Amino acid sequence: METRPYAEPYKIKVVEEIKLNTKEEREQKIKEAGYNLFNLKSEDVFIDLLTDSGTGAMSDNQWSAIMKGDESYAGSKSFFELQKTINTLLGMPYLIPTHQGRAAENVLFSALIKKDDVIPGNTHFDTTKGHIEHRQAVALDCTVDEAFDPEIELPFKGNIDLAKLEKAFNDYPKDKIKFTNLTITCNSGGGQPVSMKNIKEVSELCKKYDKMLFFDAARFAENAYFIKVREEGYQDKTIKEIVREMFSYVDGCTMSSKKDGLVNIGGFIALKSEELYRQCSVYEIMFEGYLTYGGLAGRDMAALAVGLNESTEYDYLHSRIRQMQYLGDKLVEAGISIVRPVGGHAVYVDAKSFLPNIPQSEFPAQVLGVELYIEAGVRGVEVGVVLADRDPVTRENRFPKLDLLRLAIPRRVYTDNHLDVIVWGLKQVHKRRNECRGLKFTYEAPIMRHFTARFERV
Ligand SMILES: *Cc1c(COP(=O)(O)O)cnc(C)c1O
């Protein structure tokens, strides 16, 4: 018997038109943009895979919650609804809403991090690292070594190496490490998950050394899905049960709601300790706003409460992760090399093997991004030499081991047909890969150059 084909667990009620301009127009637009995809106008992009942050589609239930948002300055009904939802889902009674994830980091870290502190974790996200280093503290990467080898297919490449973590606890003076920061899913490799076993063991180690443990929870629901389908003993548990267990091992979390919150803006801190909540409240009021809105409109909190319940449903998560795997499998079938295994929110194309005749000094992943845009109107983002910036001391380019084109998939936005266009576009570029030319800078900012750089063809 033929197996039943897969179909998404939703139908489309509102659509947004996207326009495909001509290849000649795209060639012109990207030239005007200095061959930097960040400089393109979104209206000139057909399929936008720049990021999965804040780019998802809200449901009809979220849109109706928007209408019911309570815009009171203090004591908003929408705040209490969100607090109740988060406490039910995560088991965290204290909620501090913020305007996005990095604002949650700013508030929590203001309360906890002092100069010369050390914050161990599994490859801190760039804003997290920024907020740590801005306080003249150190973000110490304790991820398992396998995470840095794209050839190794392992189910939980986001895990923390317990030996590295314990060494850190022993090496630094006791008062320098107050907490460990565990990012779920780990951003490296497009969202590699952390196993429940690892979360539990990290938690036990932290308790042994009297350290707190926080999640950077931006993609906690995607992480829970991977635990369900990959880790023994979780197949029969619901996503919500798995989420509840994950959060039972930590003291709190910072969250960018623009990811698994299924909203376009927002973030929060959730905590178990009233004492820490009090300490954070001071900075919340100073940086974000009063305690019951923190930089958000009441309607934003209302939509988030609904979004958190939707993103922790198996059917939704299955449709999402399946898309990532669909795209990855099609690319592999076409003989295009990608980072394996495919993570929870993005597929990474290996640009060095795609464009072997373009040296790293001519930015192969940037070239691939430009050519994919010209070919198919698809916008990805370079994760390679351009992003790696120059060495701050020698001012030489840093050459990372991998030069990658990241294709991040927005939530509930594109269909498999769009994904087929991406695959087609990459195949077209692959056919003419020997004619692709490298790039060189015409403008380069001293740091974070990838956002504003301009290039010309070599
Ligand atoms: C996006 C993100 C952040 C920062 O959140 P913003 O909402 O962009 O400020 C922090 N950590 C992780 C893992 C993220 O993905």
Side-chain angles (χ1 to χ4, degrees), residues 4-209:
R4 187 181 193 279
Y6 179 80
E8 283 73 15
Y10 50 83
K11 57 183 179 177
I12 296 165
K13 180 157 8 204
V14 176
V15 294
E16 177 181 341
E17 197 180 11
I18 49 177
K19 284 220 174 76
L20 183 63
N21 42 20
T22 67
K23 198 169 170 183
E24 290 68 38
E25 281 167 334
R26 290 193 295 276
E27 179 75 65
Q28 187 57 31
K29 297 281 179 197
I30 194 68
K31 190 175 174 197
E32 284 163 13
Y35 297 99
N36 185 343
L37 296 150
F38 280 101
N39 291 336
L40 287 173
K41 286 190 183 142
S42 64
E43 64 187 23
D44 295 322
V45 175
F46 186 60
I47 300 174
D48 203 345
L49 310 179
L50 190 69
T51 176
D52 68 319
S53 180
T55 52
M58 293 210 294
S59 67
D60 53 351
N61 281 324
Q62 287 180 286
W63 281 109
S64 45
I66 289 257
M67 214 45 237
K68 291 188 165 178
D70 175 1
E71 305 304 338
S72 305
Y73 190 98
S76 158
K77 195 170 93 191
S78 304
F79 169 82
F80 292 111
E81 273 165 13
L82 179 61
Q83 185 186 43
K84 198 169 137 211
T85 302
I86 289 173
N87 196 18
T88 305
L89 281 173
L90 314 183
M92 303 265 164
Y94 296 99
L95 169 67
I96 297 177
T98 62
H99 80 275
Q100 58 185 82
R102 67 199 71 186
E105 291 164 355
N106 190 28
V107 170
L108 182 69
F109 294 178
S110 293
L112 289 181
I113 300 180
K114 304 267 168 315
K115 185 172 176 287
D116 299 328
D117 279 359
V118 178
I119 316 299
N122 54 342
T123 316
H124 308 66
F125 185 73
D126 35 5
T127 62
T128 318
K129 198 169 175 191
H131 274 292
I132 293 170
E133 291 178 350
H134 176 67
R135 291 172 169 81
Q136 293 177 284
V138 178
L140 185 70
D141 193 345
C142 296
T143 315
V144 291
D145 288 334
E146 296 81 14
F148 305 100
D149 189 338
E151 317 272 280
I152 304 181
E153 282 232 24
L154 279 175
F156 294 104
K157 279 171 96 172
N159 281 356
I160 278 198
D161 185 324
L162 294 162
K164 288 185 195 170
L165 184 62
E166 186 153 26
K167 184 170 183 310
F169 289 162
N170 285 316
D171 283 357
Y172 293 96
K174 195 172 178 324
D175 64 324
K176 292 291 169 217
I177 303 184
K178 287 187 202 71
F179 68 93
T180 299
N181 202 58
L182 192 53
T183 307
I184 53 171
T185 54
C186 187
N187 221 49
S188 70
Q192 297 295 331
V194 179
S195 70
M196 190 73 89
K197 181 165 180 282
N198 194 248
I199 295 171
K200 198 172 167 201
E201 286 171 346
V202 168
S203 165
E204 280 162 5
L205 196 62
C206 287
K207 285 207 180 86
K208 183 174 154 198
Y209 284 84

Side-chain angles (χ1 to χ4, degrees), residues 340-406:
R340 306 298 304 256
V342 171
H345 68 277
V347 174
Y348 285 78
V349 182
D350 176 359
K352 272 207 286 193
S353 78
F354 196 108
L355 296 167
N357 56 338
I358 296 187
Q360 254 191 310
S361 56
E362 293 177 9
F363 317 117
Q366 187 73 24
V367 173
L368 184 56
V370 165
E371 297 300 334
L372 178 60
Y373 171 70
I374 292 169
E375 198 62 54
V378 175
R379 168 158 72 173
V381 69
E382 193 250 22
V383 177
V385 196
V386 181
L387 182 73
D389 264 332
R390 288 178 189 272
D391 183 290
V393 181
T394 67
R395 298 306 298 158
E396 292 297 322
N397 274 318
R398 288 190 279 213
F399 293 105
K401 192 171 145 206
L402 295 172
D403 245 273
L404 304 168
L405 178 68
R406 187 183 84 170

